[in-house]
Amino acid sequence: MFRSRSKSVAISKSSDGKGGTVKAGRGHGSTVRLPVYLREQIMADSKAYNIPYRSKLTERIEPGQTLIIRGKTIDESKRFNINLHKDSPDFSGNDVPLHLSIRFDEGKIVYNAYTKGTWGKEERAKNPIKKGEAFDIRIRAHDSKFQVSINHKEVKNFEHRIPLNSVSHLSIDGDVVLNHVQWGGKYYPVPYESGIAADGLVPGKTLVVYGTPEKKAKKFNINLLKKNGDIALHFNPRFDEKANGFMCAKPTPGKDYDPFIESNESVVRNSLVNGEWGNEEREGKNPFERLTAFDLEIRNEEFAFQIFVNGERFASYAHRVDPHDIAGLQIQGDLELTGIQVVNNQVAQE
């Protein structure tokens, strides 16, 4: 159940840019094999990016993968640009499959491509990024288009004018402070099930899950599994607000416990030990939104899981089983899954 191969895409270092490798399991029944140095490299360099930024992909990108760019603009920002290039990270005449220009002086974002020595027709949209504020830009590659999201909201689909497999370089320039660049992910099946390589998700490790709840999502869940099938952590965001489906914190004696029962909008945490569900924990407002991307971090510490959503601490869940015996991962429900990582806790906290 826990065997498979893995696939990676890397951003190589250049004279004025840094990068890291993204590696993820291939699919259902696969094993998550993610190098610890990945996030260490990215985060160690998070305050050291030079502008203009230039980097080369060591492998061609594939449909399903996502470019994540985080940074901050300055109060005097006029514009900055993100470019995906063919053959070289400059405008020396080679094609540019995607030119994304964030323009504060015009209040617009301009999308375009450069091919055979000529710029194509601009596609313009409102600029949702504010001067002086942090931003999160994600460009997900698909067979026929780039899907662009800003601050976790989808804002644009840009149809390919140049084949996706021609992309070989990335450049970023302009009035911007750049602190995170990362390629990774793939198309994941949901439900998804995987083993966790090496020693598993032992204390000192963090599971990072990237995803987006569907438009009509009712619920999804992430289960951390022991080798014997027990669930060390059942993490279950629910969007259905039917009050008559509310489940008490303690299951009624003599009745089966259904962890997926409809309930008030909440995030339920629980464990399944020796075939029995324990008491639910559901304190805290549900931080997940339909059609809004999320970054979920579950940090395994000696006495509890520390849970973060989009960089904000959400909950602590005290261990009910041995935290050194977590060997598997299940993800189910109404979401699109875009990335999975396993990293060191100290790296995730930076």
Side-chain angles (χ1 to χ4, degrees):
M1 161 174 158
F2 293 150
R3 292 188 226 156
S4 178
R5 47 192 182 136
S6 59
K7 176 69 178 173
S8 67
V9 168
I11 298 177
S12 66
K13 293 183 180 180
S14 63
S15 60
D16 53 358
K18 316 288 195 300
T21 301
V22 176
K23 188 176 285 188
R26 291 291 289 182
H28 185 82
S30 66
T31 301
V32 179
R33 302 180 184 276
L34 299 159
V36 170
Y37 66 81
L38 162 61
R39 196 165 172 101
E40 289 179 330
Q41 176 67 56
I42 293 171
M43 298 305 292
D45 293 337
S46 65
K47 297 180 181 179
Y49 288 110
N50 294 323
I51 296 295
Y53 172 88
R54 304 282 187 264
S55 68
K56 179 181 179 180
L57 300 178
T58 58
E59 295 184 20
R60 301 291 181 176
I61 64 174
E62 297 179 359
Q65 293 176 336
T66 302
L67 169 64
I68 301 176
I69 299 171
R70 298 193 187 108
K72 184 178 180 179
T73 61
I74 58 177
D75 292 335
E76 298 77 20
S77 292
K78 291 185 178 180
R79 60 180 65 181
F80 68 93
N81 306 300
I82 299 169
N83 301 293
L84 300 181
H85 300 265
K86 177 182 178 181
D87 296 333
S88 64
D90 52 41
F91 293 89
S92 57
N94 293 317
D95 289 350
V96 179
L98 177 64
H99 169 72
L100 193 158
S101 179
I102 296 88
R103 301 181 180 181
F104 300 99
D105 52 350
E106 297 179 8
K108 299 290 184 180
I109 296 181
V110 174
Y111 303 84
N112 209 340
Y114 182 84
T115 179
K116 298 180 180 178
T118 304
W119 284 104
K121 182 180 179 180
E122 291 183 347
E123 298 181 24
R124 290 174 169 255
K126 182 180 178 181
N127 179 11
I129 302 174
K130 306 298 183 183
K131 286 185 180 182
E133 294 186 0
F135 63 82
D136 180 304
I137 296 176
R138 304 192 180 198
I139 303 171
R140 193 174 194 206
H142 296 283
D143 286 311
S144 62
K145 65 186 180 182
F146 292 109
Q147 179 184 9
V148 181
S149 299
I150 296 178
N151 296 333
H152 302 283
K153 295 282 190 178
E154 183 180 333
V155 296
K156 178 69 174 177
N157 287 309
F158 184 81
E159 300 294 327
H160 293 316
R161 303 178 188 178
I162 302 168
L164 175 64
N165 61 13
S166 68
V167 176
S168 62
H169 291 75
L170 165 69
S171 74
I172 303 171
D173 60 69
D175 305 324
V176 64
V177 177
L178 184 62
N179 54 42
H180 183 102
V181 179
Q182 173 185 343
W183 270 112
K186 66 184 187 72
Y187 289 130
Y188 293 84
V190 178
Y192 175 84
E193 185 167 326
S194 171
I196 301 175
D199 298 325
L201 193 73
V202 296
K205 299 288 187 180
T206 295
L207 170 70
V208 186
V209 177
Y210 302 90
T212 303
E214 295 175 354
K215 182 178 182 178
K216 297 182 179 180
K218 292 184 177 180
K219 51 189 171 278
F220 68 89
N221 70 279
I222 297 170
N223 294 328
L224 298 180
L225 307 175
K226 292 183 61 180
K227 294 177 182 177
N228 66 359
D230 284 354
I231 300 177
L233 173 64
H234 170 74
F235 185 83
N236 179 204
R238 303 175 182 180
F239 301 94
D240 197 314
E241 296 183 356
K242 294 182 180 179
N244 61 1
F246 187 82
M247 184 70 183
C248 297
K250 187 174 182 178
T252 304
K255 292 187 176 181
D256 291 336
Y257 168 61
D258 180 2
F260 300 103
I261 192 168
E262 291 180 347
S263 68
N264 289 330
E265 184 169 338
S266 58
V267 179
V268 173
R269 289 86 71 190
N270 208 340
S271 296
L272 179 70
V273 182
N274 297 323
E276 298 288 337
W277 287 101
N279 291 340
E280 290 183 351
E281 298 179 16
R282 57 169 67 234
E283 296 78 15
K285 182 181 178 181
N286 186 350
F288 300 93
E289 298 180 38
R290 295 180 178 97
L291 293 180
T292 301
F294 65 81
D295 301 345
L296 171 67
E297 295 183 7
I298 301 176
R299 301 176 186 170
N300 191 358
E301 298 181 352
E302 284 292 342
F303 302 103
F305 293 111
Q306 304 298 334
I307 302 170
F308 293 76
V309 180
N310 296 333
E312 299 292 330
R313 191 174 188 277
F314 172 69
S316 178
Y317 184 83
H319 291 309
R320 302 182 188 180
V321 300
D322 182 1
H324 297 81
D325 186 29
I326 299 173
L329 170 67
Q330 290 177 334
I331 302 176
Q332 304 163 327
D334 308 323
L335 83 162
E336 181 181 26
L337 183 60
T338 58
I340 300 171
Q341 296 178 358
V342 176
V343 299
N344 283 338
N345 282 358
Q346 62 266 31
V347 175
Q349 294 170 10
E350 293 181 7

